[in-house]
Amino acid sequence: MARRKKLPTGVREKNGRYTYRYDVYEVENGKNRRKQKETPSFATPEEAYEAGVLIKAQQITGTYVDEKNFTFSEWVDKWVEIYRNLGRADNTVKTLESKLSVLKKEFGGIKLKDITSLQYQEYLFRLKKDGKKKNTLLGMHSAMRSVVKAAANPPYKIIAEDFTKGIVFPEYKETLTELKSKKNKKANYLEKEELAIFIKTAYELPDNPEYAETEKDRLVLRQNARALHILAFTGLRIGELCALEKEDIDYENKQINVIKNLYYQDGIESFTLGPPKNETSVREVDMTNKVVQLFKEQEFELKKLKLMLGLDVIYKSHDFVFMNGIRKPGYPLSPYSINAYMKTVLKKAKLPTNLTPHKLRHTYTSLSAEAGIDLSSIQRQLGHADDEITKTIYLHVTKAKRKSDIEKLEELMSSVE
């Protein structure tokens, strides 16, 4: 009778297949509990042992992940709840849920850890082949990346690898109609001369009795004017500006630390402070000397406004740079107030009234491009890695410079003829 071959330490055999048994430790009721787990089964004991050795090495180096058995649907539901509790606006959460609901139809019942890059890659190609529009597919891919990235990284770390990494997005060739539309599309922003008129008018209105009757009114309107001025000169989002607290302004290094955004639905008293729009939105925004001056003026006039309102009635849980000075003293300045004031200023200045505070980011892009700042630096200041409108504005503004460069080249080459 042949002697049975001894299996490597830790390897188990069942029905002609081999696994490696190893220990993991979980915290339960404040105590470390040992739990035994097994690798997937292999055809040979050597393969099982190699898989076990790899796990042991990962445990020693601290890179091991005890993958959880969440299905895709289960993790999506958990992540959406986490996302909602981060203070995201309801509309943002609903949009994310809508995109993920489509993905759940395809991957819902599969364990998240078992979904492969190849599976997901083929799914994207299939959707493109079935006629899904580029923007629709981009939205779904963005949603998938956010949910899987969260699962693969601290603090959750429920899967070892992010299967969306390295995915090739399906190529879409633009039609002639789309190319023409893109060429003719004009982003709305204020030109340099228009911005000068806009800023001048914004500071004139507080001194006009038609718009401000009392000193308190004047202080409130000057605050609005300053907010618009800073938006145009920094590229901040309006929610980022309204969320700023005194500690976020670094005068010494002339930087604004953008780490939060203002969210609210039912009145400013229901506000929450949550993370900015995306990862690249967390940033340090550089300030010119003029912007530093504007923040110092705001700090000085805010003290006057607080004294006028009465310190005992002011909400004190946060020290906002721009404060609600009308209905809810001490609460953050409402983006709606800034938007309404901007409409009034545009109308008085006889400028296009369809512009919004967000368009001042486009204005900032235009001015930066005209000043010769490179596109990547502008994008860093704005807080996004890639944006089609920013590129469009940048190329539009720098077109004149490119023409000038060609003329210089022609002048140089004329001496060669």
Side-chain angles (χ1 to χ4, degrees):
M1 183 176 176
R3 188 175 178 182
R4 188 176 180 183
K5 184 179 177 182
K6 186 179 178 181
L7 296 175
T9 304
V11 175
R12 304 273 175 139
E13 186 268 336
K14 185 177 181 181
N15 300 327
R17 302 281 295 179
Y18 300 89
T19 60
Y20 185 94
R21 182 171 288 185
Y22 59 97
D23 295 333
V24 295
Y25 291 87
E26 296 179 349
V27 178
E28 189 178 306
N29 298 324
K31 295 181 180 179
N32 268 336
R33 302 286 187 193
R34 189 181 74 165
K35 182 180 176 183
Q36 289 194 319
K37 299 192 76 173
E38 290 186 353
T39 64
S41 65
F42 295 90
T44 67
E46 289 77 19
E47 288 175 301
Y49 183 71
E50 285 176 10
V53 169
L54 178 60
I55 289 172
K56 289 284 188 183
Q58 289 172 337
Q59 288 177 327
I60 291 169
T61 58
T63 58
Y64 171 73
V65 176
D66 181 19
E67 293 187 309
K68 306 297 186 292
N69 284 318
F70 286 112
T71 64
F72 180 76
S73 282
E74 288 169 343
W75 172 243
V76 163
D77 293 341
K78 283 184 180 293
W79 171 242
V80 168
E81 192 55 37
I82 291 167
Y83 194 77
R84 181 179 283 110
N85 288 327
L86 289 174
R88 302 297 189 188
D90 284 349
N91 287 343
T92 304
V93 177
K94 285 175 183 174
T95 301
L96 179 66
E97 279 184 300
S98 174
K99 292 168 183 173
L100 290 172
S101 66
V102 179
L103 292 163
K104 282 165 79 172
K105 290 176 184 176
E106 178 73 16
F107 301 103
I110 306 174
K111 289 179 181 177
L112 189 64
K113 66 179 184 178
D114 292 336
I115 301 173
T116 67
S117 296
L118 181 60
Q119 266 181 294
Y120 181 55
Q121 182 73 79
E122 289 177 340
Y123 173 66
L124 290 179
F125 286 148
R126 177 157 38 93
L127 288 181
K128 194 246 179 174
K129 187 178 178 182
D130 291 344
K132 283 286 184 191
K133 299 291 185 185
K134 181 181 180 180
N135 285 343
T136 302
L137 202 54
L138 276 170
M140 289 171 58
H141 182 47
S142 174
M144 178 64 102
R145 287 183 64 189
S146 73
V147 79
V148 177
K149 187 176 181 180
N153 288 285
Y156 311 113
K157 204 76 171 135
I158 64 167
I159 56 174
E161 295 291 335
D162 176 353
F163 61 79
T164 66
K165 268 187 178 179
I167 289 295
V168 179
F169 191 78
E171 184 180 354
Y172 281 80
K173 289 185 179 178
E174 292 180 298
T175 64
L176 185 59
T177 303
E178 288 171 334
L179 287 169
K180 285 181 178 178
S181 172
K182 189 174 177 181
K183 181 175 172 58
N184 295 329
K185 187 177 180 181
K186 186 182 184 301
N188 290 325
Y189 56 88
L190 293 168
E191 299 286 358
K192 185 170 63 177
E193 295 76 15
E194 292 174 323
L195 180 62
I197 295 168
F198 173 76
I199 296 296
K200 182 173 181 289
T201 307
Y203 286 113
E204 286 176 347
L205 293 191
D207 295 323
N208 187 331
E210 183 183 345
Y211 299 96
E213 295 180 354
T214 66
E215 179 59 18
K216 188 190 89 167
D217 294 339
R218 285 188 282 276
L219 286 170
V220 169
L221 293 191
R222 279 204 295 271
Q223 178 179 235
N224 288 340
R226 224 170 276 119
L228 292 170
H229 199 164
I230 290 172
L231 287 174
F233 275 44
T234 61
L236 285 171
R237 295 180 177 91
I238 189 169
E240 294 169 345
L241 178 116
C242 291
L244 287 177
E245 297 180 75
K246 194 174 178 181
E247 62 187 16
D248 299 322
I249 311 301
D250 181 355
Y251 288 119
E252 185 177 346
N253 295 304
K254 295 203 291 188
Q255 288 181 327
I256 306 163
N257 296 312
V258 180
I259 57 171
K260 54 188 178 291
N261 197 69
L262 180 76
Y263 301 92
Y264 70 101
Q265 285 290 111
D266 306 312
I268 197 64
E269 66 273 16
S270 68
F271 82 91
T272 57
L273 297 177
K277 187 177 178 182
N278 49 50
E279 280 186 21
T280 55
S281 296
V282 177
R283 64 200 189 279
E284 293 169 337
V285 172
D286 295 316
M287 296 190 286
T288 62
N289 290 330
K290 179 61 182 177
V291 173
V292 169
Q293 179 191 334
L294 289 171
F295 273 116
K296 287 185 175 179
E297 286 174 5
Q298 173 60 20
E299 191 177 335
F300 176 75
E301 292 224 324
L302 191 60
K303 288 178 184 176
K304 289 171 63 176
L305 182 59
K306 285 180 177 179
L307 287 170
M308 194 168 291
L309 292 168
L311 296 176
D312 55 326
V313 300
I314 292 175
Y315 171 80
K316 299 180 181 68
S317 294
H318 293 273
D319 194 5
F320 290 110
V321 174
F322 289 91
M323 185 192 80
N324 192 306
I326 302 176
R327 295 185 180 86
K328 295 288 178 180
Y331 280 81
L333 180 60
S334 163
Y336 289 123
S337 298
I338 300 175
N339 187 57
Y341 190 64
M342 182 169 178
K343 294 288 184 195
T344 303
V345 173
L346 289 168
K347 187 176 179 181
K348 183 70 175 176
K350 295 182 172 55
L351 293 168
T353 55
N354 65 327
L355 295 174
T356 64
H358 188 76
K359 302 298 183 187
L360 294 176
R361 279 166 63 81
H362 301 164
T363 299
Y364 172 83
T365 301
S366 169
L367 293 173
S368 298
E370 193 171 338
I373 299 172
D374 64 272
L375 180 59
S376 62
S377 296
I378 296 171
Q379 289 174 326
R380 277 197 303 274
Q381 182 89 347
L382 292 173
H384 51 57
D386 191 22
D387 180 75
E388 198 61 42
I389 295 177
T390 302
K391 286 181 183 176
T392 302
I393 296 170
Y394 184 83
L395 292 172
H396 172 73
V397 174
T398 55
K399 190 186 292 181
K401 185 178 184 303
R402 294 202 309 273
K403 285 183 178 178
S404 174
D405 290 342
I406 289 294
E407 287 168 2
K408 288 176 184 176
L409 176 63
E410 185 178 24
E411 185 180 339
L412 175 69
M413 298 299 284
S414 64
S415 61
V416 178
E417 296 173 359

